[in-house]
Amino acid sequence: MRSVVRGCAAGAVGTTVLNAATFADMALRARPSSQTPAQTVDKITQGTVPGSGDDRENRLSGLGGLSGIAVGVGTGVVVSLVRHAGLRPPWWLGGLVTGALAMTATDLPMARLGVSDPAGWSATDWVSDAVPHLMYGLATYGALLEDDR
C-alpha cells in the first residue's frame, strides 16, 4: 500500500510539472489549449456526456483535464510498484522511461480512437508533447528516488 501512496504523490508532482511546462509553452508561443483530451473523452464515452453547447463542451474539457491527472497519477503508481518489485534503473533512464510511459498512455488512446494521428505531427508538435512528458518523467521518478533517502 505504501508503494501506491508514494506513486500517487510522485505522479501528482510529475503532473504538476507537466502542466506547468504545457502552460508555459502556451503562454510563450500564444498557442491555444489542446482539444484532444476532451475529444478523447467524448469518443470514450460515446457521446453520453450530458448537456449541449457550451455546457457540454465545458464538461468535456473538465473531464479531459481530469483524465490527464488520472494518467499522471496512475503512471506514478505503476512506476512505484515496478520499483518496489526491484527494477530500479538509474535516475536518467527511469525518468526517460516514466515520461515515455505517460506519453504512450496519453497518445495511444487518442491515436486508436482517431482523435489525433501522431504520424502526421510536425516536429514542433512532437516537441510540444515530448518535452512536458520528459519533464513529467524526471519529476515523477525523481520524487520516487527522493523517498528512498
Side-chain angles (χ1 to χ4, degrees), residues 54-121:
D54 286 345
D55 288 350
R56 185 169 189 282
E57 293 305 313
N58 292 339
R59 282 191 178 101
L60 287 170
S61 180
L63 290 168
L66 289 171
S67 72
I69 293 169
V71 167
V73 172
T75 300
V77 170
V78 167
V79 173
S80 181
L81 291 172
V82 168
R83 283 183 47 76
H84 180 75
L87 184 60
R88 296 171 177 242
W91 72 269
W92 62 269
L93 181 58
L96 181 65
V97 170
T98 300
L101 179 62
M103 188 169 163
T104 301
T106 302
D107 294 347
L108 187 60
M110 288 190 286
R112 296 286 304 229
L113 292 167
V115 172
S116 181
D117 181 11
W121 290 359

Side-chain angles (χ1 to χ4, degrees), residues 4-62:
V4 171
V5 172
R6 288 176 56 207
C8 285
V13 166
T15 300
T16 300
V17 169
L18 181 143
N19 286 338
T22 300
F23 295 142
D25 177 49
M26 290 168 58
L28 289 171
R29 294 192 303 133
R31 74 169 178 85
S33 62
S34 175
Q35 298 305 308
T36 56
Q39 293 168 353
T40 302
V41 168
D42 196 27
K43 290 266 189 163
I44 290 170
T45 61
Q46 298 177 349
T48 60
V49 173
S52 61
D54 286 345
D55 288 350
R56 185 169 189 282
E57 293 305 313
N58 292 339
R59 282 191 178 101
L60 287 170
S61 180

